[in-house]
Amino acid sequence: MSDQSFVIAFPYISATELLQASETIISYLNERYIIFDQPSHCVLSQEKLGYGPGEKFLEATILEEERADVINCNFIEFSSKLQVNGLEVFMDRQCVVTASGDWQFMQCPSCLEQCSYSDGLSISLDNWLARTGCEMLACEVYYVPSPVHHWSFYNDMVLGNLIL
């Protein structure tokens, strides 16, 4: 048995659009039976509720060519009985890391060069989370500064104003 999580981040949604965007996404997933419509205690948070898997959750979580194998091994029945199995919605600036410690590289949004992780990342990240306005991170190749939330991280780390 293993545990997995998938994270989808929306870093460019403004604070005024967060609630509408999250409601639209939840409605979309609910209408397609990907999630249940009623929030429940199906996520690890002690403060928040999540949305459990709906009857067609496989369509959003398993590649089509793998679905027959999953259906044949009763994965649907098994996963529907898990206490922790659902969609959690984070609004406001968040940094979510699901990595196993394999920090590969990050990609500059300006020149698309691959850069190694540096001390500047931590400072820029802290500033972005604290909304200080000093969230720029300079590329180590061409020294072009870009907002840290525009960078791509190849270690399963995401930044976003809305995260699923």
Side-chain angles (χ1 to χ4, degrees):
M1 182 169 167
S2 69
D3 54 342
Q4 292 184 348
S5 63
F6 299 94
V7 180
I8 301 171
F10 301 90
Y12 308 112
I13 294 178
S14 69
T16 58
E17 299 171 316
L18 284 176
L19 186 58
Q20 177 63 40
S22 67
E23 288 173 350
T24 300
I25 292 167
I26 296 301
S27 176
Y28 176 89
L29 295 172
N30 180 40
E31 289 169 4
R32 284 152 185 82
Y33 303 101
I34 307 278
I35 60 171
F36 280 120
D37 60 343
Q38 295 300 313
S40 65
H41 294 283
C42 63
V43 294
L44 288 174
S45 175
Q46 294 182 8
E47 301 168 3
K48 296 172 61 181
L49 299 175
Y51 297 89
E55 23 180 289
K56 295 186 178 182
F57 77 96
L58 286 180
E59 293 179 17
T61 57
I62 306 291
L63 295 172
E64 189 171 349
E65 58 270 14
E66 297 174 353
R67 287 188 199 147
D69 293 337
V70 171
I71 292 168
N72 291 337
C73 71
N74 292 328
F75 181 74
I76 296 171
E77 182 182 341
F78 165 76
S79 65
S80 66
K81 294 178 182 176
L82 295 173
Q83 285 185 321
V84 177
N85 188 13
L87 173 72
E88 187 169 4
V89 179
F90 297 98
M91 288 192 281
D92 202 7
R93 289 187 180 190
Q94 297 278 329
C95 174
V96 176
V97 180
T98 60
S100 60
D102 184 21
W103 294 81
Q104 298 174 23
F105 59 87
M106 51 190 190
Q107 186 176 36
C108 175
S110 298
C111 65
L112 303 179
E113 290 288 338
Q114 293 180 359
C115 301
S116 59
Y117 286 88
S118 65
D119 295 335
L121 173 62
S122 294
I123 295 166
S124 298
L125 251 169
D126 288 344
N127 287 333
W128 180 74
L129 289 167
R131 300 180 195 288
T132 65
C134 300
E135 58 204 42
M136 301 299 274
L137 181 61
C139 172
E140 67 183 27
V141 178
Y142 294 106
Y143 306 103
V144 177
S146 300
V148 69
H149 66 281
H150 288 205
W151 284 70
S152 296
F153 302 97
Y154 293 89
N155 69 332
D156 297 327
M157 179 173 79
V158 294
L159 306 176
N161 296 323
L162 174 62
I163 295 178
L164 306 174

